[in-house]
Amino acid sequence: MLKPLCVVLPLLLSSQTLAKSSDYLGFDYPNKAKNAVSISFDDARHSQVDTGLALLNKYQVKATFYVSPFNVKERVEKWQMAVKTGHEIANHTASHLCTGNFEWLRELGVSLEQFTLKEMEQDILKGQDYIKATLNVTPTAFAYPCGNTFVGRGANTKSYVPLIAKHFKTGRTWLDETANNPNFTDFSQLTSLPIDGLTFEEIKKTIEQHRTNNSWIILAGHDIGKRDQYTTGSDVLEQLIVYLQDPKNGFWLDTVSNVADYVEANRKAFD
Ligand SMILES: [Zn+2]
């Protein structure tokens, strides 16, 4: 998808620029893994703790959950259990703020097109306060709802990426076309690849396509249960975990923040 532009553009750059930006610097993960993988889920949907938690815990997989307080409220004890069993709890704004092209947000008057950076920051910190008070953790990771990173519209549009860089160690986008180059990626705009609705074979193919240059692959889903547009199949998730945990496949599976800490400490900076 959209490959031609990405492929053609580098050819237009000067050879000097190309040599610098295309140098592969190498990257070593723990236990000689070739790639890091993080499994993440958004919105704190009920099925994540009703169905997913037991499955993840069975294989001792630590996932990153970008939670919406209004959903956590209805399953507080189960989310406390998620914390207890070592999963990462991360911020996803208090109001799940994204584009007003979603009718329900526009009706509430909280779409990004109608928001200011100040209002955005308040909503993010409101989410942070709720998580601290309810789950006793302070998130260091954030996921942009709907993958949107702006407020305002047209000539008055502003990026809220700097706000995320100010308050969090990492920010994760959504529906991307690349994995993260550990030596280059911006921690405030980590990419992710969707897993909802896909078969295990489809996810495996996507992962294999994105393994070059020791990439860090962040997978992102929503509900966990019967495979659907916004649901990662429970059976698919189980197959995926077994595949990622098999040492011969060369993956290091850990939370977004654990991988980010490791990458930050071990990355080789570009000139
Ligand atoms: Zn979301």
Side-chain angles (χ1 to χ4, degrees):
M1 288 181 292
L2 303 180
K3 195 166 89 183
L5 189 63
C6 315
V7 171
V8 169
L9 266 181
L11 301 175
L12 303 175
L13 300 172
S14 73
S15 58
Q16 199 180 8
T17 311
L18 192 60
K20 267 195 173 179
S21 61
S22 65
D23 279 350
Y24 181 58
L25 305 172
F27 194 85
D28 299 317
Y29 289 109
N31 301 322
K32 296 190 175 150
K34 295 267 183 281
N35 299 82
V37 176
S38 302
I39 299 178
S40 65
F41 292 98
D42 294 2
D43 304 348
R45 295 185 182 207
H46 300 335
S47 62
Q48 293 170 12
V49 284
D50 291 350
T51 306
L53 212 50
L55 179 58
L56 294 165
N57 291 345
K58 178 180 164 189
Y59 290 93
Q60 297 184 313
V61 173
K62 308 301 179 208
T64 297
F65 292 99
Y66 296 96
V67 305
S68 297
F70 50 85
N71 279 336
V72 173
K73 261 177 204 153
E74 296 179 20
R75 296 285 193 282
V76 170
E77 282 182 17
K78 289 186 175 181
W79 282 105
Q80 287 168 339
M81 188 53 70
V83 173
K84 221 175 181 175
T85 46
H87 298 283
E88 175 172 27
I89 304 297
N91 192 309
H92 197 45
T93 74
S95 309
H96 201 277
L97 291 167
C98 65
T99 174
N101 287 308
F102 285 107
E103 303 286 332
W104 64 277
L105 279 171
R106 206 168 69 245
E107 282 162 13
L108 293 173
V110 294
S111 68
L112 290 180
E113 289 85 347
Q114 298 162 298
F115 252 52
T116 63
L117 283 175
K118 195 173 173 205
E119 289 168 325
M120 194 70 213
E121 187 169 31
Q122 285 168 350
D123 195 83
I124 290 165
L125 295 179
K126 193 174 153 195
Q128 201 76 340
D129 288 345
Y130 177 82
I131 294 167
K132 264 189 236 174
T134 312
L135 303 177
N136 199 27
V137 290
T138 302
T140 59
F142 177 88
Y144 299 89
C146 310
N148 298 144
T149 59
F150 67 92
V151 293
R153 57 166 65 229
N156 296 315
T157 304
K158 291 191 172 69
S159 167
Y160 81 85
V161 173
L163 261 183
I164 299 312
K166 177 181 161 191
H167 291 290
F168 300 93
K169 181 153 198 144
T170 62
R172 197 218 71 204
T173 55
W174 161 243
L175 289 181
D176 294 290
E177 290 186 78
T178 65
N180 298 282
N181 180 325
N183 293 318
F184 182 79
T185 197
D186 176 2
F187 288 113
S188 298
Q189 294 194 77
L190 294 172
T191 68
S192 71
L193 303 171
I195 54 174
D196 290 335
L198 301 179
T199 63
F200 168 64
E201 288 305 323
E202 287 167 334
I203 296 173
K204 187 180 165 195
K205 193 175 164 195
T206 301
I207 290 173
E208 294 299 335
Q209 282 171 343
H210 289 87
R211 290 195 76 170
T212 51
N213 292 356
N214 304 110
S215 64
W216 170 19
I217 299 164
I218 302 177
L219 303 173
H222 291 82
D223 274 305
I224 301 170
K226 190 174 178 295
R227 188 157 60 88
D228 205 347
Q229 186 185 1
Y230 284 102
T231 307
T232 297
S234 303
D235 53 335
V236 172
L237 183 58
E238 186 156 16
Q239 283 175 284
L240 176 64
I241 290 169
V242 169
Y243 164 68
L244 293 173
Q245 285 189 327
D246 185 340
K248 78 171 188 300
N249 293 326
F251 295 105
W252 172 38
L253 184 55
D254 212 328
T255 62
V256 169
S257 288
N258 284 346
V259 176
D261 285 345
Y262 181 88
V263 168
E264 188 181 34
N266 293 280
R267 75 191 329 195
K268 295 155 189 150
F270 281 86
D271 291 338

